[in-house]
Amino acid sequence: MLKKTKAFNGANVFMSRNLVPPEVFDALHDALKDHGAQIHLCCDPSRNGPSDYHIISSPKHDKFEDLRAKGCKLLGPRCVLSCAKECRPLPKQGFTCCLAMDGVKLLASGFDTDEKVKIEELVTEMGGVLHAKPSLDLNFVIVKNVLAAKYKWALNNLKKPILTYEWLKKCSDEHRVVPQESYKVLPFSGLTICVTGIPADKRREMGQLILQNGGKYSAELTKKCTHLISEISF
């Protein structure tokens, strides 16, 4: 009978006590050993080959950027433990903190280039995939506001949650897909609305509605206004 290959066979994993939280060190060591990894109890940035991995507590660690700049594949403790639990190989991308978004497909719209780079980092760090084009098999859409190019498409065609960047950041902070309800993009998000020709009490009421739905109320019509509401008599 053929012996089953262990999930981490062939992987050289570097784990230093300076980079790994003490409370998970033993659990990580056991998981790596049980699944066939070659363990090195040190940090060696020169080891950046295809089978070399480095465990680090988080991207906030002061050694993170140095290791990444040297081409090291980085893994968060949660990622390693999840892979061990599921008996799956370690990810081969630059950095994976966890598998919270494993198999999850997202689209981002309305963000500038630097913002999209950060979004892609957060998504891939959790095992997800950021798509460049609309697709009906997407799980979530993240938009800056309702003026984003793909917002109307997502609203009318996808019927999936349309969320803010803050939702993605919260998922990253908590290493899980957090509930979406409080992070849904409000219908006036990104809009600056001016109201004119309407009685003051009604204007105040409309101003409150605009704010409650994510927009900005402007008492004066300026170039920053995206919409003007006016009572027109015929």
Side-chain angles (χ1 to χ4, degrees), residues 15 30 49 63 92-93 97 111 124 127 133 146 150 152 166 170 188 190 217 226:
M15 53 182 293
D30 291 346
K63 290 287 185 183
K92 289 189 174 293
Q93 62 183 27
C97 68
F111 300 95
T124 55
K133 296 181 180 180
V146 300
K150 305 298 189 300
K152 285 186 178 179
E166 285 69 27
K170 189 72 171 176
F188 295 161
Y217 172 72
T226 58

Side-chain angles (χ1 to χ4, degrees), residues 145-148 151-152 187-196 198 206 210 215-230:
N145 52 49
V146 300
L147 298 174
Y151 173 77
K152 285 186 178 179
F188 295 161
S189 172
L191 305 184
T192 300
I193 302 171
C194 179
V195 180
T196 187
I198 293 173
M206 293 175 75
I210 290 166
K216 292 181 181 178
Y217 172 72
S218 176
E220 297 180 359
L221 183 62
T222 69
K223 289 182 179 180
K224 291 184 178 180
C225 291
T226 58
H227 293 75
L228 171 66
I229 300 175
S230 177

Side-chain angles (χ1 to χ4, degrees), residues 19-88:
L19 273 65
V20 176
E23 62 270 18
V24 295
F25 191 91
D26 290 342
L28 284 168
H29 188 279
D30 291 346
L32 291 166
K33 183 180 178 182
D34 291 346
H35 288 79
Q38 183 70 41
I39 305 168
H40 305 268
L41 299 178
C42 63
C43 176
D44 185 355
S46 68
R47 294 293 299 270
N48 57 5
S51 299
D52 296 331
Y53 298 87
H54 299 257
I55 302 177
I56 192 164
S57 58
S58 82
K60 296 177 182 177
H61 195 287
D62 57 7
K63 290 287 185 183
F64 181 85
E65 290 300 336
D66 180 55
L67 287 166
R68 184 160 70 171
K70 290 174 179 172
C72 298
K73 286 191 290 296
L74 303 170
L75 302 171
R78 287 178 178 83
C79 173
V80 176
L81 294 174
S82 294
C83 288
K85 185 178 180 180
E86 298 175 22
C87 295
R88 58 190 284 178

